[in-house]
Amino acid sequence: MYNIVIYIYLIGVVIASLFSKKVRNMWRGERQAIGIIKEKMDPNAQYVWFHAASLGEFEQGRPLMEQLKREHPEYKILLTFFSPSGYEVRKNYEGADIITYLPLDTIMNARRFLRTIRPVMAFFIKYEFWYNYLHILKYRKVPVYSVSSIFRPEQVFFKWYGRSYGRVLHCFTHFFVQNEISRQLLAKIGINEVTVVGDTRFDRVLQIKEAAKQLPVVEAFTDGHRTFVAGSSWQPDEDIFIPWFNAHKDWKLIIAPHVIGEDHLQQILSKIEGKAVRYTQASAEEVRDAQVLIIDCFGLLSSIYHYGEVAYVGGGFGVGIHNLPEAAVWGVPVIFGPNNQRFQEAQQLKACGGGLEINGAADFQRIMDRFDANPQQVEADGKKAGDYVKGKAGATDKVLHSVGL
């Protein structure tokens, strides 16, 4: 049944590639993967394979790859992606020796891929359970580890109708899960090679903090003013927070929208009553008297959170919240929307007092009025957020030590 579904999916990809450049690039990349590996691989080297679905999973796997590269240069690293949004952004990542798409999980593709690269071990990051790849790895006696995985009762593995597919989990040598609930769920289906280590993403955000960029334009914009940073915002988020800053022009507002398209940028500008400037179109002098700075480029958000007293992470009124630890690591209170139940870091930030959930504009106004009147409260809540991230670090060392690296 799984293979039938895969082939139906393959037909869908072929059809979709006729109409979508993104799908076409993915389909082309998958077909070229074996050739790229043959061209770039060192036949005398031992390869450790890391697979990440997309960019978020890559960031979770990155601390493992970089520590492995640093401490065990005798190994080379193969990094594969499923999604174009991961591959296209990180195809030139210097921490891996070979980077490709992962060919679709047909029996033939899996055999050809593994026969070509012959990894000595494999790490699958978070939610990657490819049936044919995993069964062939198990048959070849290649150690396979699931890292930063997290399981919930509603997942198919734990339903009566998912027992057949759930056997794929028995192909893993060991699971390094994020929480105790995941360990208990796996134990119920007979999987006991499990260690609760937390999420390697916390190690990554601490690395990012240490390597943060100095941004002269942003420094000139903030220039001692109280500043609010809204990261990865969508239109419903912006409709909630922009009106408060229209009424409180003594605060500076930085908006880094999730979608940087001209239509969305113009939509944001139309809602702002004070002077607003776009990052790519302004100098340090030009931003000093502006109230709002719009980040109209990628790659800066993790450093920009450093310049805020309070942060907002978008997506909670739609697709689900984005990267909370990326903001919290800077020791600032983090506000987010209600679609956060699937994100344990949101629940834990709320529990420790470093994260604040809102359900609409009234909640946002209440929180910001309190912060506006009481800077000590901002500092106290921010410390809770920062301490939370620091306390979650260390998963990378635990994983690598456990696998003997």
Side-chain angles (χ1 to χ4, degrees):
M1 179 62 69
Y2 175 86
N3 287 314
I4 290 171
V5 171
I6 286 292
Y7 279 107
I8 292 172
Y9 176 81
L10 176 58
I11 293 169
V13 168
V14 173
I15 295 171
S17 69
L18 300 174
F19 307 97
S20 167
K21 183 178 179 181
K22 181 178 179 180
V23 177
R24 190 159 55 249
N25 288 341
M26 181 183 75
W27 174 227
R28 183 184 300 117
E30 289 180 0
R31 286 179 292 147
Q32 294 173 343
I34 302 294
I36 291 172
I37 292 171
K38 287 181 177 178
E39 177 187 340
K40 294 186 175 182
M41 73 177 292
D42 177 352
N44 299 313
Q46 291 185 306
Y47 282 87
V48 178
W49 173 25
F50 286 84
H51 177 65
S54 192
L55 194 57
E57 290 79 9
F58 164 80
E59 290 296 332
Q60 288 174 297
R62 184 169 178 169
L64 291 165
M65 287 185 278
E66 293 183 354
Q67 187 163 323
L68 176 65
K69 195 82 170 175
R70 186 169 60 250
E71 297 181 359
H72 293 277
E74 67 271 22
Y75 292 115
K76 290 186 180 292
I77 292 174
L78 166 68
L79 170 63
T80 60
F81 288 97
F82 179 75
S83 165
S85 60
Y87 176 79
E88 294 300 329
V89 174
R90 294 301 181 190
K91 60 186 176 183
N92 297 316
Y93 169 60
E94 294 181 354
D97 299 281
I98 305 174
I99 304 173
T100 73
Y101 281 97
L102 181 67
L104 196 62
D105 187 28
T106 65
I107 294 174
M108 183 179 294
N109 280 347
R111 284 175 177 165
R112 289 181 63 219
F113 180 90
L114 293 171
R115 190 182 301 127
T116 302
I117 194 66
R118 298 187 181 277
V120 295
M121 68 182 73
F123 293 86
F124 282 50
I125 311 300
K126 199 172 182 180
Y127 294 135
E128 288 297 278
F129 308 108
W130 295 109
Y131 192 91
N132 291 312
Y133 282 104
L134 287 166
H135 275 84
I136 295 171
L137 284 165
K138 183 178 180 181
Y139 175 78
R140 289 172 173 263
K141 295 181 171 55
V142 177
V144 186
Y145 306 102
S146 178
V147 177
S148 291
S149 43
I150 187 166
F151 294 93
R152 295 182 296 275
E154 62 269 22
Q155 287 174 305
V156 66
F157 312 113
F158 312 110
K159 304 293 186 181
W160 64 266
Y161 53 80
R163 288 174 187 167
S164 177
Y165 178 64
R167 286 198 292 268
V168 72
L169 299 181
H170 291 269
C171 293
F172 285 94
T173 306
H174 202 93
F175 286 85
F176 297 98
V177 298
Q178 293 189 31
N179 57 28
E180 177 62 21
I181 293 173
S182 298
R183 189 196 66 76
Q184 293 173 3
L185 286 168
L186 290 170
K188 287 181 180 179
I189 59 172
I191 297 174
N192 296 301
E193 292 297 326
V194 183
T195 305
V196 180
V197 299
D199 190 347
T200 52
R201 183 170 40 163
F202 290 98
D203 297 324
R204 177 59 188 149
V205 296
L206 286 163
Q207 288 177 348
I208 291 171
K209 181 183 177 184
E210 290 301 314
K213 304 170 185 174
Q214 296 298 309
L215 303 171
V217 170
V218 180
E219 289 176 3
F221 171 75
T222 57
D223 194 26
H225 292 82
R226 290 184 296 178
T227 303
F228 183 96
V229 178
S232 302
S233 64
W234 296 75
Q235 175 259 316
D237 304 304
E238 292 144 9
D239 287 344
I240 286 172
F241 65 72
I242 288 177
W244 193 88
F245 293 96
N246 284 337
H248 295 80
K249 293 188 170 61
D250 54 323
W251 278 76
K252 297 266 190 166
L253 170 62
I254 301 175
I255 305 175
H258 186 74
V259 176
I260 300 177
E262 193 59 34
D263 288 347
H264 188 200
L265 295 174
Q266 290 301 324
Q267 183 186 74
I268 294 170
L269 286 166
S270 71
K271 298 171 184 174
I272 297 168
E273 295 177 2
K275 179 181 176 180
V277 293
R278 290 167 60 161
Y279 181 84
T280 62
Q281 299 176 1
S283 67
E285 286 303 315
E286 291 169 330
V287 298
R288 291 187 189 280
D289 63 343
Q291 189 210 358
V292 182
L293 178 62
I294 300 173
I295 309 301
D296 54 352
C297 58
F298 291 110
L300 301 181
L301 180 56
S302 59
S303 297
I304 285 172
Y305 281 125
H306 170 51
Y307 295 95
E309 275 74 46
V310 182
Y312 181 98
V313 175
F317 289 91
V319 297
I321 51 171
H322 295 290
N323 193 338
L324 291 178
E326 186 177 49
V329 71
W330 290 104
V332 297
V334 186
I335 302 172
F336 45 85
N339 187 5
N340 61 66
Q341 300 306 309
R342 294 185 297 109
F343 303 87
Q344 69 168 3
E345 62 270 24
Q347 311 312 311
Q348 292 168 349
L349 274 169
K350 286 191 291 183
C352 77
L356 303 102
E357 177 184 307
I358 61 170
N359 289 287
D363 287 344
F364 182 81
Q365 179 176 332
R366 173 179 52 79
I367 290 169
M368 286 305 298
D369 283 349
R370 177 162 57 91
F371 283 162
D372 187 45
N374 190 353
Q376 291 77 24
Q377 186 68 57
V378 176
E379 185 176 347
D381 289 355
K383 185 177 186 305
K384 293 172 186 175
D387 288 346
Y388 164 75
V389 174
K390 292 176 197 172
K392 291 291 181 179
T396 299
D397 285 337
K398 293 174 185 175
V399 170
L400 293 178
H401 176 75
S402 181
V403 304
L405 292 172

